[in-house]
């Protein structure tokens, strides 16, 4: 039997992994690093003593009258996709918001290759999931239409 020593996953290692994807990391003083894509922001929180969490908020809100359709889309995507998982919630104004989430399994540490691969996979999967949501829940009045 062989063993491999792995280093703990730190904010600095996640920042390096975001840079390896070719994105500019934006770092907060709360232990989070964000990758900002067109119309999307993906964050990875690295809280001390807790598993790292990948999170992203879908940049649209939905009228409550679409709750059944949204629930169906969320169930279908969650059943067919490993990561990220989608949850829906109601905002203070009553609109439905969608939230993407993934918990990284780096409890005892990870190699650089593991950190880079999983950060890259989360960023790409979150972006792909948002594209799926845009396809399945089309916006009939997009704000950025041609002039």
């Amino acid at each position: 039997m062989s063993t491999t020593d792995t280093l703990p996953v730190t904010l600095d290692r996640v920042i390096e992994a975001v840079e390896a994807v070719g994105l500019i990391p934006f770092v907060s003083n709360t232990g989070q690093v964000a990758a900002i894509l067109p119309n999307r922001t993906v964050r990875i929180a690295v809280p001390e003593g807790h598993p790292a969490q990948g999170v992203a908020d879908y940049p649209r809100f939905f009228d409550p009258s679409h709750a059944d359709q949204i629930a169906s889309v969320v169930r279908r995507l969650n059943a067919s996709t490993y990561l990220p998982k989608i949850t829906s919630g109601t905002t203070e104004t009553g609109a439905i918001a969608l939230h993407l989430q993934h918990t990284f399994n780096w409890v005892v540490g990870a190699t650089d290759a593991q950190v880079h691969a999983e950060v890259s996979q989360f960023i790409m999967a979150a972006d792909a999931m948002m594209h799926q949501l845009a396809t399945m829940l089309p916006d009939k009045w997009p704000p950025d239409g041609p002039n």
Side-chain angles (χ1 to χ4, degrees):
M1 185 164 96
S2 65
T3 61
T4 302
D5 291 330
T6 56
L7 298 172
V9 177
T10 62
L11 186 63
D12 287 339
R13 293 183 71 203
V14 172
I15 292 168
E16 180 183 307
V18 169
E19 289 172 337
V21 175
L23 299 171
I24 298 171
F26 292 86
V27 184
S28 77
N29 60 359
T30 60
Q32 294 187 42
V33 59
I36 299 175
L37 307 166
N39 297 321
R40 293 160 171 65
T41 301
V42 178
R43 299 182 318 274
I44 299 174
V46 188
E48 190 74 33
H50 297 282
Q53 301 278 321
V55 294
D57 295 313
Y58 189 59
R60 284 180 49 212
F61 297 96
F62 301 92
D63 189 271
S65 64
H66 301 291
D68 289 341
Q69 180 186 4
I70 291 168
S72 175
V73 166
V74 167
R75 280 192 305 273
R76 212 169 336 144
L77 288 173
N78 280 341
S80 64
T81 308
Y82 170 67
L83 73 96
K85 295 301 183 187
I86 308 170
T87 60
S88 62
T90 305
T91 67
E92 293 175 4
T93 63
I96 298 171
L98 298 177
H99 182 73
L100 288 67
Q101 189 272 335
H102 175 69
T103 301
F104 294 97
N105 294 315
W106 301 323
V107 179
V108 295
T111 64
D112 287 340
Q114 288 172 312
V115 174
H116 286 219
E118 289 188 40
V119 165
S120 173
Q121 181 183 20
F122 174 70
I123 291 170
M124 289 188 294
D127 188 49
M129 182 69 76
M130 289 191 207
H131 282 291
Q132 283 288 342
L133 288 166
T135 300
M136 297 172 91
L137 301 167
D139 187 355
K140 295 181 180 25
W141 302 98
D144 296 329
N147 292 340

